[in-house]
Amino acid sequence: NAVSETPTGRWTVPPLLEDGPTISNITTKKATIAWTTSRKADSKVAFGTETGVYLPIEPSASDLSPAHVITLSGLQPSTNYYYIAKWTDEDGNTGVSPEKSFVTQPAPSVKDVSASNVGLSSAILKYTTLGASKVRIYYGTTTSFGGLKEVATSTTETIQTTEITGLADGTKYYYRIDTLDEELAQYEGTILDFTTLPRPKINNVRIQQVRNTAQSTVLITWQTNTEVSSIVTYYPENQPGLSTDEVNITLTKGDHRIIIKGLLPQTNYNLIVKGRDRLGNEATSDVQKLTTATDTRPPVITNVRIEGTISKLSNNSDNTQVAQVVVSWNTDEPTTSQVEFGEGTGTTYSQKTQEDVNLTVNHLVVITGLAPSKVYHLRILSKDKAENLGRSIDTVTITPKATDNALDLVLSSLQQTFGFLTSN
């Protein structure tokens, strides 16, 4: 049978899907979907977090083209999304692709956050970032912060260190490290805190004279608010070039004490107390002034030793022998050396050795020209720089007896051996 039709010039079926849809450029917040069709058509994408269930709003492009590209935005990190591509030609024919899915990138993260090298006015923050293009560090004395430091980072896992400066000493600081992804979307971190070191301070410096010491001695006490070493610098007034340091490197918080010995009597001294903490921060006191007391205490004599020997007088034809006594002792401060002595026992001393005016704490005096096998008594005299005289107790000693000459020793030996007597 013959039939007739009149063409309308309109498509009655949608364009065919030739390629895709494919997903690319997936980030934490965005993804790009592309596909091609056999004819020109507009572009739409329906998507959602459940299969077959899509959001009411469909990103679209009204331009008619066989190549279609739609970028999804406003996505959530680490989320599985389902989508279909849709296209409608100029005659209203709509095509739909099969459903596909993708997962967005995880949010940038920061971990292993710690504050180290915390000083008086600075601290170093150490942390590890992953997937972040930069971080923003908020810090302040309250959780409202007030300070901000921005640091560019690598999207690969990287250990970062950032120094925070301009802080107040002895203050608690709060801080938070936020990460930003490549699209500068910001992700909030956890609020942490650290406390800057207090500035070392020295208080209550006290100076006390120590009594009954050989030389002028003072006890210095003070207190500190932090753990620091103990340092005392002192020198005679107007003579800073003669300064001396007494140091105790043990770090102590609270009470400190140092004893300074060997000061000059009746002398004006300047004294400064110091302390350094473990980071080298130093606290210094004001200059303290003191005048040492007059030295009125005599030196103490100890470790007295007396030894006797026999020797022959030089240029003596009859082999006359004499004795000598070696006297040694110690004193608890530098003094002169002298011995007074006399024959027999008693309390009078008829002779003295020449005074050795060199000040020392180890002494030795030799008394010569004494008679062998005889009793002598002696007393040690030691005088310090302040003319205080120390005396030992009276000591009695007996000089060694004279030794026989060589011929007498031979004859005595023969007599004992052969039993005969010798005669003149």
Side-chain angles (χ1 to χ4, degrees):
N1 297 325
V3 296
S4 63
E5 288 284 343
T6 301
T8 62
R10 297 171 61 87
W11 292 100
T12 57
V13 295
L16 299 176
L17 178 63
E18 292 189 336
D19 184 54
T22 58
I23 192 79
S24 63
N25 300 328
I26 301 174
T27 67
T28 55
K29 298 286 187 179
K30 294 182 179 180
T32 300
I33 300 173
W35 71 98
T36 59
T37 54
S38 59
R39 302 193 312 272
K40 293 181 179 181
D42 65 6
S43 308
K44 295 183 289 294
V45 172
F47 69 100
T49 57
E50 298 181 27
T51 180
V53 181
Y54 308 119
L55 299 175
I57 298 177
E58 299 178 347
S60 62
S62 59
D63 296 338
L64 300 180
S65 172
H68 308 268
V69 178
I70 293 292
T71 298
L72 305 181
S73 59
L75 307 179
Q76 296 298 316
S78 300
T79 303
N80 192 12
Y81 283 93
Y82 299 89
Y83 70 95
I84 56 173
K86 302 169 70 174
W87 60 94
T88 301
D89 64 12
E90 56 189 344
D91 294 324
N93 302 298
T94 299
V96 178
S97 73
E99 184 182 70
K100 292 188 175 182
S101 66
F102 66 92
V103 179
T104 52
Q105 294 290 329
S109 62
V110 60
K111 63 180 181 179
D112 301 332
V113 182
S114 63
S116 62
N117 293 353
V118 180
L120 298 177
S121 60
S122 65
I124 294 179
L125 303 182
K126 186 177 180 180
Y127 50 95
T128 300
T129 59
L130 176 61
S133 63
K134 63 175 63 177
V135 296
R136 287 177 180 157
I137 302 175
Y138 299 88
Y139 61 94
T141 56
T142 68
T143 53
S144 299
F145 307 114
L148 172 63
K149 192 162 189 175
E150 192 168 275
V151 180
T153 62
S154 170
T155 54
T156 59
E157 185 169 284
T158 309
I159 297 176
Q160 307 283 344
T161 55
T162 303
E163 185 178 18
I164 306 297
T165 59
L167 308 178
D169 63 278
T171 304
K172 185 174 184 178
Y173 279 87
Y174 299 89
Y175 68 99
R176 189 185 74 204
I177 301 178
D178 291 358
T179 54
L180 284 76
D181 61 20
E182 293 179 335
E183 298 164 16
L184 301 184
Q186 187 165 328
Y187 302 85
E188 190 172 294
T190 303
I191 296 177
L192 302 171
D193 64 79
F194 63 85
T195 301
T196 53
L197 292 179
R199 189 174 300 278
K201 295 179 182 178
I202 293 173
N203 300 302
N204 301 327
V205 179
R206 295 184 179 181
I207 303 174
Q208 179 180 351
Q209 300 272 358
V210 179
R211 297 180 178 179
N212 298 322
T213 55
Q215 296 173 289
S216 294
T217 302
V218 294
L219 170 64
I220 315 299
T221 61
W222 68 96
Q223 294 178 325
T224 60
N225 61 328
T226 63
E227 289 188 343
V228 295
S229 59
S230 303
I231 306 170
V232 175
T233 300
Y234 60 96
Y235 54 89
E237 193 174 37
N238 302 322
Q239 292 182 288
L242 300 179
S243 66
T244 303
D245 290 336
E246 290 288 341
V247 180
N248 183 351
I249 63 174
T250 302
L251 300 185
T252 304
K253 178 182 178 180
D255 295 329
H256 298 248
R257 57 180 284 150
I258 279 184
I259 293 178
I260 300 177
K261 301 178 180 179
L263 300 176
L264 300 174
Q266 292 182 289
T267 303
N268 295 326
Y269 278 89
N270 286 349
L271 181 147
I272 302 172
V273 177
K274 303 176 184 177
R276 292 189 183 91
D277 64 17
R278 58 185 175 84
L279 296 180
N281 302 308
E282 184 177 76
T284 303
S285 73
D286 296 331
V287 176
Q288 311 292 316
K289 295 183 178 295
L290 69 104
T291 301
T292 53
T294 303
D295 183 5
T296 59
R297 173 187 174 277
V300 175
I301 298 170
T302 58
N303 300 328
V304 177
R305 298 185 63 184
I306 302 173
E307 297 180 2
T309 61
I310 292 293
S311 63
K312 178 183 175 183
L313 289 175
S314 61
N315 300 322
N316 192 304
S317 59
D318 59 358
N319 294 320
T320 301
Q321 296 179 339
V322 294
Q324 66 179 18
V325 173
V326 178
V327 185
S328 63
W329 70 96
N330 298 330
T331 52
D332 62 349
E333 62 177 310
T335 65
T336 60
S337 306
Q338 191 175 30
V339 176
E340 58 182 1
F341 61 97
E343 294 183 5
T345 60
T347 58
T348 59
Y349 304 90
S350 58
Q351 300 182 69
K352 287 183 180 180
T353 63
Q354 183 176 356
E355 183 182 29
D356 183 353
V357 297
N358 294 314
L359 300 181
T360 182
V361 295
N362 304 115
H363 309 264
L364 188 144
V365 170
V366 179
I367 306 173
T368 61
L370 304 178
S373 301
K374 197 164 188 177
V375 175
Y376 287 88
H377 68 282
L378 58 86
R379 185 169 62 179
I380 295 168
L381 306 177
S382 285
K383 189 185 301 180
D384 64 17
K385 188 174 183 179
E387 299 293 321
N388 298 307
L389 179 61
R391 296 182 177 90
S392 72
I393 62 174
D394 183 81
T395 303
V396 176
T397 185
I398 301 175
T399 56
K401 69 178 181 177
T403 59
D404 295 329
N405 58 41
L407 179 58
D408 291 339
L409 290 175
V410 171
L411 294 175
S412 176
S413 177
L414 290 173
Q415 181 182 0
Q416 294 176 6
T417 303
F418 299 104
F420 61 85
L421 298 174
T422 60
S423 60
N424 292 328

